[in-house]
Amino acid sequence: MKFHHILFFLGILLQGTLLGAQDYSFMSDPPDDFQYLDTTPQKRKFFNEHMIGVKYGVNISNVRSTPKIKQSSILTYNNITVNYTFYHVLWDRMANFGLQIGAKYGCEGYESEYGGYGETCKIVEVPMLSQFHINFSSFRLLVDVGPYYGYRLSTDREGGFDKYDQRHDYGIIAGAGFAVVLRPIELHLEACYKFALASMYHANKYSDLYWLYCYPSNIMFTLGINLHLDRKH
């Protein structure tokens, strides 16, 4: 074998030895970018809330009539409602929505300058309201809207109800108010307007020629006390 061939093989062996001694730390596994992430479950900011309560109300009660019968308002005081309120969190981010369902016993009616018109009725109602709320500190701003169903139990009109009376009632309630949160107690002060969609009478109650449509219309002021059923958050 020629001398320059021997030098060639010795050069290859030397180069391999030098390459083997080099530091390849730059080719090591990359650092774990997730090792510093906090995987501890985050504490929830909002929670669902459940309440039961009772509220007392004063009504300014009247009717909307066609044709006009010179009706005037009356005040009624015996208005009691038992209700359940559920505040739910939407997408775990928006704690502004709620549902309130109740059972109400109360009175409503009207007076009229015309003889034969005017009465006060005892009623039961089931309101089903969406209650939007905005929380700040220990207070809430409240906005209510939703339907109701009602039934007239009795009337103070002479002779009571007859076949021309419509005792079933339904319509819309809308209002606003504020709440004071003193867990486990919560106080609500609200003002609402009840807009009936069912006439108190069949159109021909008083005349087959001149039909009368008469719809209850109430402004309601209520003070309620509620008990939180959920644990303190």
Side-chain angles (χ1 to χ4, degrees):
M1 182 179 292
K2 295 182 179 181
F3 180 73
H4 66 273
H5 289 166
I6 296 174
L7 291 178
F8 175 74
F9 286 115
L10 290 176
I12 292 176
L13 292 174
L14 179 61
Q15 185 178 16
T17 303
L18 293 176
L19 288 175
Q22 290 185 8
D23 183 9
Y24 289 93
S25 60
F26 68 91
M27 299 181 63
S28 60
D29 292 337
D32 185 0
D33 293 333
F34 297 96
Q35 63 179 327
Y36 301 110
L37 291 181
D38 184 5
T39 58
T40 304
Q42 297 297 312
K43 184 177 180 181
R44 292 184 60 182
K45 186 176 180 180
F46 302 113
F47 293 86
N48 295 334
E49 299 181 65
H50 303 264
M51 293 182 285
I52 56 171
V54 60
K55 56 186 175 183
Y56 174 81
V58 175
N59 287 1
I60 302 175
S61 185
N62 205 333
V63 293
R64 312 181 318 276
S65 68
T66 304
K68 298 296 183 182
I69 53 177
K70 290 190 175 182
Q71 65 270 23
S72 59
S73 300
I74 63 172
L75 285 176
T76 64
Y77 300 95
N78 299 321
N79 301 283
I80 304 293
T81 304
V82 177
N83 54 262
Y84 164 73
T85 305
F86 171 51
Y87 290 159
H88 61 91
V89 180
L90 187 62
W91 301 314
D92 202 26
R93 292 180 179 273
M94 302 174 64
N96 304 108
F97 301 92
L99 174 68
Q100 187 175 87
I101 301 175
K104 174 185 175 181
Y105 170 83
C107 298
E108 66 179 16
Y110 69 102
E111 293 179 344
S112 174
E113 296 180 9
Y114 296 152
Y117 295 96
E119 62 182 301
T120 300
C121 299
K122 294 182 179 179
I123 61 170
V124 290
E125 288 179 355
V126 179
M128 295 165 285
L129 307 179
S130 292
Q131 188 170 86
F132 304 95
H133 55 96
I134 300 175
N135 304 328
F136 57 96
S137 185
S138 296
F139 302 92
R140 307 184 202 263
L141 292 179
L142 308 174
V143 177
D144 303 317
V145 62
Y148 76 90
Y149 167 78
Y151 184 78
R152 298 180 183 92
L153 298 172
S154 63
T155 176
D156 65 354
R157 190 177 68 235
E158 185 176 354
F161 291 119
D162 59 38
K163 65 179 182 179
Y164 295 103
D165 291 308
Q166 295 196 118
R167 300 176 68 174
H168 295 276
D169 186 26
Y170 56 89
I172 299 172
I173 296 175
F178 70 92
V180 180
V181 183
L182 305 169
R183 286 181 177 274
I185 301 299
E186 184 166 330
L187 304 177
H188 288 194
L189 181 62
E190 299 176 82
C192 296
Y193 178 67
K194 188 179 85 169
F195 185 87
L197 298 174
S199 177
M200 296 178 68
Y201 316 120
H202 289 285
N204 61 341
K205 177 177 174 66
Y206 292 100
S207 171
D208 288 330
L209 296 178
Y210 302 100
W211 286 8
L212 172 67
Y213 297 93
C214 195
Y215 302 90
S217 177
N218 295 340
I219 298 175
M220 304 175 290
F221 300 95
T222 61
L223 175 62
I225 181 169
N226 299 275
L227 175 66
H228 282 261
L229 301 179
D230 47 286
R231 62 181 178 84
K232 184 176 180 179
H233 303 307

